Amino acid sequence: MPKSYEYLMISHPSQYVTHVQMNRPDFKNAINRKMNEEICDLFEDLSVDANTRVIILSGHGKSFCAGIDLKESLNMVSGAVEGDDTARMARRIREKFRENQKTYNVIAECPKPIITAIHGQCIGAGMDLIALSDIRYATSDTQFSMKDVDIAMTADPNTLSRLPRICGNESWIRELVFTARKFDAEEALQHDLILKVYDTFEGLIKGAERLAVNMSERSPVALQSAKIFLEYGRDHTTEDALLFSAAWNQSQLQTEDLQKAAQAAAADDAQPQYSKL
C-alpha cells in the first residue's frame, strides 16, 4: 500500500512521472520537523521506485515554500540548550541540525531528475530545495530570498556551494546571501537561476508536466546515468570524471535499451518502450 503523508500530496500525472506537492498551505509550506521527515522518507523511496523516472516538486496553495518553520526551529534550539553544560548542549544542537540536513542530502543523492515548479514565495529552505533540483521553472509573480542572515543563520552548505555553479555570477550570489534582499522571477531568469517563466500557476504545472513526460520516455538507464555523471563531474576533475564514466559504462552499456534506441533512430520511429529499472 502507498504511504500516506500529513504534509505532502503525491500524484502521477503520467506514467513514470511523480508529482510531489508540499501541503502546508496555511503556513505557505514552511517546513516543520514533520514535513522535513516526510520529504526525506519520500525521496528515499522515489530514488529506488521503478515507477518513477522523473520527479516534479511544487507547493500547494499560494506559495512554493516560505522557508523553515521559524517558531518550531527556535523552540528546537531553546529546548536543546536547557540544562547541562556547553559541550552537551552543543552536541544536541548539532544532532538536530544533522537531522535537518539529512533531507537535503537525500534529495541531492536522488538519481532521478527533479523539476521544481516555483510560485509565490521561495525563501530560505525553499532556495535550498530548488538549488538541489535539476531544472527550475517559476511563475512571473515569484519572490525569491536567501533569508538566512536576517534570522541570524547561515544558509545550508548545499545551497551555498551549488548556487554559484548554477548561476555563474558569484558576486550576485554573495550579494543575495549577505543582504537577504528579495528578487523576482525576471532577475532569477536573467542570472540563470530559473529556465522559464510562466504567467500562471496552471501554465507552470502544465509546462513542468510536459517536460517531465518528455524526459520519462527516455531510457531510465541513460537518464539516471546522465544525472549521476553531471553530479559527479561538478566536484571532480575532468580526468576523474572520465575514469568514473569508463568504470560506470562497462556495466551500464550492457543494456537492451541501447539496441532499442538505435533501432528506433535508424527507422526514424518514436521513442521505444523501455523496461522498468
Side-chain angles (χ1 to χ4, degrees):
M1 292 292 290
K3 295 180 181 177
S4 60
Y5 296 95
E6 183 176 358
Y7 294 123
L8 300 175
M9 295 193 303
I10 317 299
S11 61
H12 301 279
S14 180
Q15 187 182 29
Y16 302 127
V17 176
T18 297
H19 186 177
V20 179
Q21 278 195 301
M22 293 176 283
N23 186 30
R24 205 170 175 238
D26 292 343
F27 298 89
K28 298 180 181 178
N29 295 317
I31 300 176
N32 61 5
R33 183 174 181 178
K34 178 66 173 175
M35 184 193 286
N36 193 74
E37 292 173 351
E38 290 183 351
I39 292 173
C40 183
D41 179 62
L42 176 59
F43 271 82
E44 282 185 333
D45 287 348
L46 293 179
S47 291
V48 294
D49 177 26
N51 292 310
T52 298
R53 295 181 182 174
V54 183
I55 300 167
I56 299 171
L57 177 63
S58 69
H60 178 60
K62 295 182 178 180
S63 285
F64 174 73
C65 178
I68 61 171
D69 186 313
L70 189 56
K71 182 178 179 180
E72 184 181 275
S73 296
L74 291 173
N75 289 340
M76 176 192 76
V77 173
S78 62
V81 299
E82 291 176 357
D84 294 329
D85 59 27
T86 302
R88 288 170 174 79
M89 290 187 290
R91 284 171 180 259
R92 285 202 297 274
I93 292 175
R94 181 181 183 277
E95 289 168 3
K96 296 295 184 182
F97 274 92
R98 290 297 292 166
E99 286 179 15
N100 289 337
Q101 287 177 336
K102 182 181 177 184
T103 296
Y104 303 118
N105 291 337
V106 168
I107 296 173
E109 293 167 3
C110 178
K112 314 294 177 67
I114 302 169
I115 304 166
T116 46
I118 315 156
H119 77 294
Q121 290 185 335
C122 180
I123 297 173
M127 292 290 292
D128 295 333
L129 292 174
I130 70 170
L132 295 168
S133 67
D134 298 285
I135 298 168
R136 292 161 291 276
Y137 288 172
T139 56
S140 56
D141 63 349
T142 304
Q143 292 290 312
F144 302 85
S145 177
M146 300 284 290
K147 198 70 174 171
D148 305 83
V149 296
D150 268 358
I151 55 174
M153 293 181 66
T154 304
D156 186 85
N158 263 317
T159 306
L160 295 182
S161 65
R162 286 170 180 267
L163 283 180
R165 294 183 175 98
I166 293 170
C167 303
N169 189 333
E170 190 164 337
S171 292
W172 182 66
I173 296 298
R174 289 179 183 241
E175 182 212 356
L176 298 178
V177 172
F178 297 157
T179 66
R181 72 171 177 85
K182 293 180 181 179
F183 60 102
D184 59 18
E186 182 179 353
E187 186 174 354
L189 181 65
Q190 177 187 347
H191 289 279
D192 298 325
L193 178 60
I194 57 176
L195 179 60
K196 287 186 180 180
V197 178
Y198 291 84
D199 291 331
T200 66
F201 179 74
E202 292 75 17
L204 170 72
I205 297 301
K206 288 181 180 178
E209 289 178 351
R210 281 195 300 270
L211 177 63
V213 170
N214 183 300
M215 293 160 59
S216 71
E217 292 173 346
R218 272 57 188 173
S219 159
V221 174
L223 195 65
Q224 293 185 41
S225 294
K227 176 167 180 176
I228 289 167
F229 288 162
L230 287 166
E231 290 292 308
Y232 187 89
R234 190 187 66 244
D235 297 320
H236 294 80
T237 66
T238 300
E239 180 60 24
D240 285 343
L242 290 170
L243 291 172
F244 176 78
S245 174
W248 180 272
N249 278 313
Q250 68 184 1
S251 64
Q252 296 304 290
L253 286 180
Q254 299 183 61
T255 171
E256 64 179 13
D257 294 10
L258 187 60
Q259 184 176 2
K260 287 182 178 180
Q263 290 173 345
D268 199 24
D269 289 338
Q271 284 289 327
Q273 294 292 317
Y274 296 105
S275 301
K276 294 180 181 180
L277 181 58

